[in-house]
Amino acid sequence: MTDLAPTYRMSDSEGPSLPTPLPEPAASEIRLERVMGVLADPLRLTIVNRLLTSSEEYDHTCGWFGFDRPKSSLTHHFKALREAGVIRQRQHGLERRSRVRIEDLDERFPGLVELIANWQPADGEAV
């Protein structure tokens, strides 16, 4: 198994008072076909993988990833992940910060989070 970031099992109730999450499906409403659909995009799969394996703090803005993409494009990808129930986003001032909904995904689809954490792009695959 891949070494996961220190925040891998951190619950949403930990830490200072957090802003309310942006609209997202309830855990019981997360559908496998939507999750698999959004994760079929290599950029989105990379986002989730990095949040699981490289994140050292609670959550991150889209700029943390260092992708050479327009902000509007990244915003679209993060929104798709949130609306599918893969990530949780909170508005911190002008920034939206994201983290994987690990507990919800583990409960609904055991083993999926570990598969994502262990995923590696194919040789030469750029995101």
Side-chain angles (χ1 to χ4, degrees):
M1 181 169 127
T2 299
D3 289 331
L4 297 172
T7 58
Y8 180 68
R9 292 289 175 195
M10 187 166 147
S11 73
D12 283 329
S13 62
E14 294 179 25
S17 62
L18 297 170
T20 304
L22 296 172
E24 63 187 30
S28 63
E29 297 172 346
I30 298 174
R31 305 276 310 162
L32 182 60
E33 63 271 19
R34 293 216 48 212
V35 170
M36 299 304 284
V38 298
L39 293 177
D41 182 284
L43 178 66
R44 294 179 191 153
L45 187 54
T46 299
I47 289 168
V48 178
N49 175 271
R50 286 192 190 169
L51 283 172
L52 289 170
T53 61
S54 301
S55 177
E56 294 182 9
E57 295 181 16
Y58 174 76
D59 50 12
H60 291 282
T61 63
C62 61
W64 173 80
F65 295 88
F67 295 129
D68 186 23
R69 304 278 175 103
K71 185 174 180 182
S72 59
S73 173
L74 291 175
T75 299
H76 165 75
H77 289 291
F78 279 88
K79 180 181 179 186
L81 288 166
R82 179 175 45 86
E83 289 180 345
V86 176
I87 64 171
R88 170 162 291 140
Q89 289 188 301
R90 298 178 192 275
Q91 191 78 35
H92 291 262
L94 298 175
E95 300 176 334
R96 286 190 176 173
R97 297 183 184 175
S98 306
R99 75 179 297 256
V100 179
R101 293 177 62 180
I102 295 168
E103 295 82 8
D104 294 338
L105 292 172
D106 274 345
E107 182 180 318
R108 295 281 293 155
F109 315 112
L112 179 63
V113 170
E114 188 173 339
L115 285 172
I116 297 167
N118 288 316
W119 172 81
Q120 299 208 357
D123 289 336
E125 182 178 23
V127 286

